[in-house]
Amino acid sequence: MTTLEHDRLVFRFPEVHEDACCAIDFQRTLRLPDDDREHLLPPGLGSFPLRHVDDFSHRLPPNWHDRGGVFFPIHRAEAMWVNFSADDYPFAVKVAAGKVNAVTGEPWAPQLNRDPQDYAVLPRQPWLDGFCVEKGVIRQFVAAQLGEGATAEEQITGNGEHGGLQFIVYPMKADRYEEIRRQRQQMMEDRVMYSARRSVMHGIPDLVEDMDMGMAPGGRMRQEIYEDEHGLDTWDQRHGQRCFVAMADALLWEAITDEQPPTEPPTAEDYNLAGLPWFDYYDDKAAALEGAEKLAHLKSIRDTLLKGIPRAEARVRHVGPSRRPRP
Amino acid sequence: MTHFGQYVRERREELRKGDRRYSLRQVAERIGIEPAYLSKVERDEVAPPGEATTVRLAGELGEDPDVMLALAGKVSGELQEIIRRRPKLFARLLRELKSAPDHAILSVVREVRDGDW
């Protein structure tokens, strides 16, 4: 079952295994300078508020109700990243923007594919900041209104029909997980034995028309989508859970929900002037996927909608596999 | 029974292995309390902090705020307000579910509806 808890989508599979639980939330962030240089990880500035579409369907277009799921407010040209949380239990997660796969650029299909790999593997993949355009390089997710031609969906399909983000989550098969757990347990026991031995030795109807948002490719950033080290047959594709995450123009959020929308985030320039750091993430034990040809040719939002984004001279903090730090 | 302070210390130390920013001093600074006070909290020498500080600490350590508040022997003001608005209904609901297994409780939690897309 998929639930909404503290602005996070929580995916639980009690029918597969009691440990099979992971979560996805959407983090506000700085828009990267779109200058063809490869930038480092921008910080998380807090999560976007998420609401059930069903709670506001009287104020939303009918197709939003048909799709179900949840929605959040985002300003035009605002950037965001997808934050994955999983403990030990592994998951395969497909992510699409406007029903275009963010890893391969292919049209949405629910099943997992390995050649090329079209999904991310949790918990190894801690986050996804954009479209995978080259090996080790993504183009940041930046919000654009559907109809302006800037979104990846419109550039690839020629239509702005869906917008939003789409997810399907598959848990690992329970017997494979138990096997991994047993191996880990054995390794732990071996380590303890080894240590022990060593120690012995040492206005709404008009407004809603223009509210649908999609994801356009923004600035380039260093980020790897890691290769599946478990293999396609380890995933329990009989038990997928999917969710449509729509995005509403933040200016209309109050009219829809009666809640204040989030303020506009600071610019990269403001952030640097405040002396706050960017991050360089590394995981030297994982192999990265190649980028997708279809996504590599997308035009940046700089070329379609935005001009003159400031350059950022950044302070950098190096972080290993861990939670994404805050500024 | 897990003590609140012990739990906080173990979680913080675990995070510190991968990131030095999780030192006692830096975590205390980020959540707006004195390092000496956090040290006492971690050694269970003083009662757990108030709700707002516990929630900030949960955010800092990547923990569920409701779980951290429960460990601190508290119920969030938000949950109290929810119960206060419909006390009879929620009291009945909680009593009905108090001994139910997890999967039975999950079956009454609201799911995100998946539609046609």
Side-chain angles (χ1 to χ4, degrees), chain A residues 55-76:
Chain A
D55 291 350
F56 302 98
S57 53
H58 58 295
R59 293 179 177 177
L60 295 169
N63 65 326
W64 284 46
H65 177 263
D66 297 343
R67 297 182 310 215
V70 296
F71 71 117
F72 68 85
I74 191 162
H75 291 278
R76 290 177 194 203

Side-chain angles (χ1 to χ4, degrees), chain A residues 1-4 6 52 54-55 65-70 99 108 166 242-244 317 323 325-326, chain B residues 11 15 18-19 21-22 59-62 64-66 78 106 109-117:
Chain A
M1 65 187 302
T2 309
T3 54
L4 182 51
H6 300 296
H52 288 273
D54 285 347
D55 291 350
H65 177 263
D66 297 343
R67 297 182 310 215
V70 296
K99 294 184 71 172
W108 174 262
Q166 297 77 33
R242 41 171 238 166
C243 186
F244 195 107
R317 188 180 294 151
R323 293 176 59 233
R326 293 175 188 171
Chain B
R11 183 73 185 121
L15 291 167
D19 189 342
R21 294 170 69 249
Y22 287 94
E60 189 61 37
L61 301 178
D64 186 304
D66 288 328
E78 178 214 359
L106 283 172
V109 173
R110 183 182 179 193
E111 284 192 60
V112 173
R113 182 177 62 82
D114 186 26
D116 183 20
W117 49 272

Side-chain angles (χ1 to χ4, degrees), chain A residues 27-33 39-45 79-81 127 129 138 140 220-223 268 271 277-280 324-327:
Chain A
Q27 286 284 319
R28 308 188 72 207
T29 194
L30 304 173
R31 195 174 72 232
L32 296 171
H39 294 273
L40 299 168
L41 280 179
L45 301 173
M80 65 121 234
W81 51 274
W127 45 65
D129 284 54
I138 59 107
Q140 194 180 30
R220 293 166 65 88
M221 195 180 110
R222 260 189 263 157
Q223 184 168 87
Y271 186 81
W278 298 65
F279 303 98
D280 189 9
R324 187 143 162 180
R326 293 175 188 171

Side-chain angles (χ1 to χ4, degrees), chain A residues 282-299:
Chain A
Y282 59 90
D283 183 349
D284 50 15
K285 291 184 186 143
L289 297 183
E290 300 291 333
E293 184 80 5
K294 276 193 176 175
L295 296 170
H297 297 304
L298 293 180
K299 280 186 187 166

Side-chain angles (χ1 to χ4, degrees), chain A:
Chain A
M1 65 187 302
T2 309
T3 54
L4 182 51
E5 300 172 26
H6 300 296
D7 296 323
R8 299 192 316 162
L9 283 171
V10 180
F11 299 86
R12 287 190 185 84
F13 300 84
E15 69 281 23
V16 175
H17 196 283
E18 60 177 0
D19 294 350
C21 178
C22 68
I24 295 175
D25 66 277
F26 305 93
Q27 286 284 319
R28 308 188 72 207
T29 194
L30 304 173
R31 195 174 72 232
L32 296 171
D34 196 351
D35 50 11
D36 292 329
R37 288 190 304 175
E38 283 164 23
H39 294 273
L40 299 168
L41 280 179
L45 301 173
S47 52
F48 284 96
L50 279 177
R51 299 290 177 265
H52 288 273
V53 163
D54 285 347
D55 291 350
F56 302 98
S57 53
H58 58 295
R59 293 179 177 177
L60 295 169
N63 65 326
W64 284 46
H65 177 263
D66 297 343
R67 297 182 310 215
V70 296
F71 71 117
F72 68 85
I74 191 162
H75 291 278
R76 290 177 194 203
E78 181 173 0
M80 65 121 234
W81 51 274
V82 180
N83 187 34
F84 301 118
S85 311
D87 287 332
D88 274 349
Y89 206 101
F91 293 89
V93 182
K94 287 187 88 160
V95 182
K99 294 184 71 172
V100 167
N101 190 297
V103 177
T104 61
E106 295 296 329
W108 174 262
Q111 71 278 7
L112 302 175
N113 292 296
R114 191 68 202 272
D115 188 22
Q117 182 182 317
D118 61 359
Y119 56 93
V121 176
L122 277 48
R124 171 138 263 161
Q125 190 77 39
W127 45 65
L128 181 68
D129 284 54
F131 299 97
C132 180
V133 294
E134 282 173 35
K135 186 174 184 174
V137 180
I138 59 107
R139 287 204 93 115
Q140 194 180 30
F141 289 133
V142 178
Q145 198 184 329
L146 282 188
E148 291 179 326
T151 65
E153 175 188 0
E154 289 163 289
Q155 292 190 51
I156 289 179
T157 69
N159 277 315
E161 189 185 344
H162 305 291
L165 294 159
Q166 297 77 33
F167 296 86
I168 189 160
V169 178
Y170 295 105
M172 180 174 269
K173 288 175 182 166
D175 55 342
R176 295 302 293 267
Y177 170 66
E178 288 295 348
E179 194 184 313
I180 290 173
R181 205 157 70 157
R182 267 194 303 277
Q183 285 169 357
R184 261 194 220 140
Q185 185 65 29
Q186 188 59 53
M187 275 172 64
M188 289 280 282
E189 282 168 15
D190 290 350
R191 257 186 227 161
V192 170
M193 290 289 286
Y194 177 69
S195 312
R197 279 204 300 274
R198 269 174 64 99
S199 67
V200 171
M201 296 160 71
H202 330 268
I204 302 155
D206 292 336
L207 297 175
V208 293
E209 295 293 319
D210 298 328
M211 62 182 292
D212 230 336
M213 307 281 275
M215 281 302 170
R220 293 166 65 88
M221 195 180 110
R222 260 189 263 157
Q223 184 168 87
E224 293 173 329
I225 316 299
Y226 298 118
E227 207 172 88
D228 178 3
E229 59 186 355
H230 303 290
L232 200 57
D233 66 338
T234 58
W235 306 111
D236 189 342
Q237 295 198 53
R238 294 170 310 152
H239 289 102
Q241 286 176 27
R242 41 171 238 166
C243 186
F244 195 107
V245 181
M247 294 178 293
D249 188 329
L251 297 175
L252 303 176
W253 185 250
E254 192 169 359
I256 302 165
T257 63
D258 299 324
E259 296 172 33
Q260 286 288 314
T263 52
E264 287 198 45
T267 64
E269 196 175 34
D270 293 337
Y271 186 81
N272 288 336
L273 283 173
L276 294 166
W278 298 65
F279 303 98
D280 189 9
Y281 179 83
Y282 59 90
D283 183 349
D284 50 15
K285 291 184 186 143
L289 297 183
E290 300 291 333
E293 184 80 5
K294 276 193 176 175
L295 296 170
H297 297 304
L298 293 180
K299 280 186 187 166
S300 158
I301 194 167
R302 174 194 60 182
D303 301 324
T304 47
L305 294 179
L306 303 171
K307 304 284 175 197
I309 302 170
R311 279 176 179 271
E313 295 306 329
R315 194 156 75 79
V316 180
R317 188 180 294 151
H318 300 274
V319 290
S322 68
R323 293 176 59 233
R324 187 143 162 180
R326 293 175 188 171

